[in-house]
Structure formats: C-alpha cells, structure tokens
Amino acid sequence: MKRVLILGSTGSIGEQALDVISRSDELGVAGLSASTGWERLLEQANENGIGLVALADAGAARSARGSGWKGEVLGGEEGIRELIARCEPDVVLNAIVGSAGLGPTIVALSEGIEVALANKESLVVGGELVMALSEAAEARIVPVDSEHSALHQLIRAEPVGAVERLVLTASGGPFRGRTDLRGISREQALAHPTWDMGGKISIDSATLMNKGLELIEAHHLFGLAYDDIDVVVHPQSLIHALIHIVDGSTLAHLGHPDMRVPIAYALHGPDRLELPVEALDLAAAGELTFEHPDTDTFACLRLAREAGEAGGTAPCVLNGANEVAVEAFLAGALPFAGIAEVVERVLDAMPATVPTHFEDLFRCDEEARVRATEALGAVASGAVSGNGRGVT
Ligand code: MG
C-alpha cells in the first residue's frame, strides 16, 4: 500500500486525487491538508479515517478545533511541515496553489519523500535549487500537471539522448483569437473552454501565463533548453504534449481532458489504473487543429519565456507579481489586460540574480509581491494603453 499525503485536498486536484485513490487497492490516504476550507477537510478526514489534518490558515485551524471534531488539527505553515513529518507518507501530492507550495515541497524532499507535483510554482520559483535537492535527497519529483505527465510518459520510453524537442499544447483559453484584451470580466475569464479548474489557474490559462509557467516547469523537469521547448495552441485539448525524436519521429500523448489520468499515473505509474474515462474516438472528435500562440496579445507567455531564459530569480519575480495581479483581478481591482503589465513592470524593476539558498527566493518572492502591489494602482487607473495588450 502506497500512502499518499494530499496537500490542498479540498481543491480541484485534491478532490480528484481522493477519487483516484478510492479506485485503487494499492493506494491509501496518509493525511490531508487544506488552506481555509476546514469544513470540507474534516468531511474528507472522516470519509478516509484520518485523525490528523492541517490547515495553513491559522484562523481556519482554530475554527476546525472549535467544531468538536475528535481528531487533531495542526495550524499554519508550521502545521503543514509537522504534518509531513508525522504522517510518514510514501508520497506527498502537493496540490497547493501558488508559491506557498514551495516550502512543503522542500520539506518533503528534504525528508527523502517522493513528491507528486501539481504545484508547478515549486519548480517555477525553486528551479535549480529544488531539482538539486531532489537529486541530493534521492527523492523523485513526479509531475501531475497534464502536459508534463504526458511528456514524462513519452520520454521514459526513450533512451537517453533520443529526445530532441518538447512541445507543450495549450488550449488557448477563452480569449483565443482576440487581439484586444480590454473589457474582459471576471466571469468571462473564469469560463475555461476545456478544463474545469480552480480560480487562479483558470485566470492563468486565460492570460496564457499558465503555459508560461509550464514551460519553465518543463525546462527543469526534463532538462531541455528553452529553445528546445515549443508551445502550440490546440483548442480541442486532446493532445497533451508531443516529443520530437532524433530520427524524425514525433510522438504524442492523447486523451480526453480529465485530471484523474495524470494524477493516477503520478501515484500509480508505471502501472496503469483503470479509470472511468472514455477512450478517445478520433472520428467523433473530427478535427484536431493547431496554431502558433499570439504572444503579442498574450504577453504573459512571452514574459514567462523571457524570465525562464534570464534564469536565476526572474521566474520567482514573474510568479510573485502574477499571483498579486491575478488576485487583484479576481477582486475587481485590476483589469484583465493589466495583469501582464503589472508583471512586466515588476520584472523590469527587479533584474535577475543567482539565488544560492531558498531564503534568497523567499525574500525575492516577498519583494516581487510588494512591488506588484505598488504597481496595481498605477496600472488600474488607466496606465494600460493602446490595444490593451499590457505593453506601454
Ligand atoms: Mg497543465
């Protein structure tokens, strides 16, 4: 029995992971944590016979303790760390949203525990340091992100040196084809055409920042240069990734978009788990179409590639600024087109440096957030000019 600790169990990935685990005789739940959703967390704990949980939000932890629940509730970031150590999982499924997921990834790897990574920010922000820690601690990082799971499945069948290029597919989000991003509402941005996801990642998909973060994630996971990783827009979301082989072959991973597939592979692979996911009927799908991403309109993808190529702290800055900007957009305090502009301003203000310790990254993340918060006012008050592409 492989025991799984799910961090972020009340979110979209967490709920689907519990569904996957319930379908397998070889998987069990070791522990659960959430950010603020204590009521659902306690329900999940009861359903899975778990007596120890953690809530990252100290207030939510107090509410859970005051609810009369019989188990033990740990609170705050410290509580998440203690949970990882105390429930002795075989694998930590990190489905925390945002750079808050980096700390728990570091703790798990440091303890020599395998990480099934749905928190792409761990690699975007932590980059080389996280990969070096994984190697030093001999603790694997297995991707849960659908494109990276697809790449992982494709690449592992090939001998070293055979894979020349990677291709990440992008749905293009709800605004594919638009060349003006002004006047977009929160509801429009949250309505993703093919994937049903949480709020933050839905907005990142609409700006194409999500694909930018995935580009950086792929660079670290698979060790290819940015020049050797392409992004292609594929609105049907049926091909999740492709690899180009030195002999001219191209291999693709196809399937209906359902996150239980990559979650099951991360927890179960290379063995396959039977899932109630319909096999792909290509004739019924009809057409698979592809186009180049429009990085003039969707500047976040360009900014992410540039930050990745700059390396060092640049992806950390990109991510911190984006998290602040997306939160402001969701709160109605920033127009959609302002997200890229806030990110670009903060990147311009904070040139990349080389981090030598995780502390450098935590400080950098903090500074990026402060600067992004300062930039919000100016950008929201009409500094977004021209075609609304977020480029002044
Ligand atoms: Mg993805």
Side-chain angles (χ1 to χ4, degrees):
M1 173 80 84
K2 192 172 184 181
R3 298 174 68 251
V4 186
L5 167 58
I6 307 176
L7 303 179
S9 65
T10 59
S12 170
I13 297 288
E15 293 282 6
Q16 293 180 84
L18 284 167
D19 179 89
V20 165
I21 292 169
S22 73
R23 295 173 190 279
S24 169
D25 298 334
E26 289 159 47
L27 299 173
V29 181
L32 300 164
S33 87
S35 169
T36 56
W38 66 271
E39 284 158 307
R40 178 63 190 140
L41 181 69
L42 297 187
E43 271 174 25
Q44 291 176 333
N46 290 338
E47 285 162 16
N48 291 280
I50 297 296
L52 175 67
V53 297
L55 282 146
D57 183 85
R62 276 193 297 277
S63 301
R65 285 186 203 111
S67 71
W69 187 61
K70 294 277 184 285
E72 186 182 350
V73 181
L74 305 170
E77 279 178 38
E78 188 54 47
I80 305 285
R81 279 197 287 275
E82 191 180 334
L83 181 71
I84 296 170
R86 278 179 59 188
C87 68
E88 298 181 344
D90 298 304
V91 54
V92 170
L93 171 58
N94 185 348
I96 292 170
V97 177
S99 63
L102 174 59
T105 291
I106 296 169
V107 172
L109 293 175
S110 302
E111 302 263 344
I113 304 167
E114 180 174 310
V115 174
L117 194 66
N119 174 260
K120 61 194 75 175
E121 292 84 353
S122 289
L123 283 174
V124 170
V125 175
E128 283 87 1
L129 293 182
V130 166
M131 293 309 292
L133 175 59
S134 162
E135 200 163 317
E138 291 179 36
R140 287 200 310 164
I141 299 172
V142 187
V144 172
D145 212 341
S146 62
E147 296 80 358
H148 304 74
S149 174
L151 288 171
H152 174 58
Q153 293 173 50
L154 291 166
I155 291 171
R156 73 181 301 163
E158 296 301 324
V160 175
V163 178
E164 221 167 28
R165 295 181 72 77
L166 311 180
V167 183
L168 295 166
T169 55
S171 71
F175 310 123
R176 182 178 62 86
R178 282 179 70 148
T179 54
D180 185 341
L181 301 180
R182 284 175 298 184
I184 285 169
S185 72
R186 188 175 179 276
E187 287 62 37
Q188 287 172 313
L190 284 171
H192 195 271
T194 49
W195 289 96
D196 181 16
M197 306 175 293
K200 164 72 167 50
I201 191 170
S202 294
I203 302 306
D204 284 345
S205 296
T207 61
L208 295 200
M209 179 60 92
N210 183 54
K211 209 51 54 180
L213 300 179
E214 290 182 352
L215 174 68
I216 298 170
E217 185 186 11
H219 163 78
H220 290 298
L221 276 172
F222 304 112
L224 270 82
Y226 285 98
D227 276 348
D228 295 329
I229 311 174
D230 297 325
V231 172
V232 66
V233 173
H234 166 49
Q236 296 82 17
S237 295
L238 295 176
I239 297 181
H240 306 307
L242 308 99
I243 59 173
H244 293 305
I245 310 291
V246 289
D247 67 359
S249 309
T250 296
L251 307 181
H253 183 289
L254 293 84
H256 289 292
D258 188 319
M259 281 308 294
R260 291 176 301 179
V261 178
I263 291 167
Y265 195 81
L267 299 178
H268 228 270
D271 294 339
R272 300 283 183 169
L273 181 66
E274 199 175 322
L275 290 171
V277 178
E278 219 182 310
L280 190 57
D281 179 343
L282 283 174
E287 276 194 324
L288 303 184
T289 60
F290 307 91
E291 56 199 67
H292 290 297
D294 173 3
T295 52
D296 291 330
T297 304
F298 297 91
C300 285
L301 179 55
R302 171 181 61 81
L303 292 170
R305 187 178 278 277
E306 288 170 2
E309 283 167 349
T313 52
C316 172
V317 171
L318 170 95
N319 181 73
N322 182 59
E323 287 188 25
V324 169
V326 170
E327 197 177 317
F329 169 69
L330 287 171
L334 183 73
F336 184 81
I339 295 173
E341 187 173 350
V342 167
V343 172
E344 184 152 30
R345 282 183 181 217
V346 178
L347 278 167
D348 286 347
M350 293 179 66
T353 58
V354 178
T356 53
H357 195 273
F358 286 116
E359 277 308 317
D360 300 337
L361 294 170
F362 292 127
R363 267 196 302 274
C364 178
D365 178 62
E366 191 54 42
E367 186 185 340
R369 286 165 191 277
V370 170
R371 287 181 184 267
T373 306
E374 288 167 1
L376 288 176
V379 175
S381 66
V384 176
S385 62
N387 58 9
R389 286 174 176 177
V391 180
T392 50

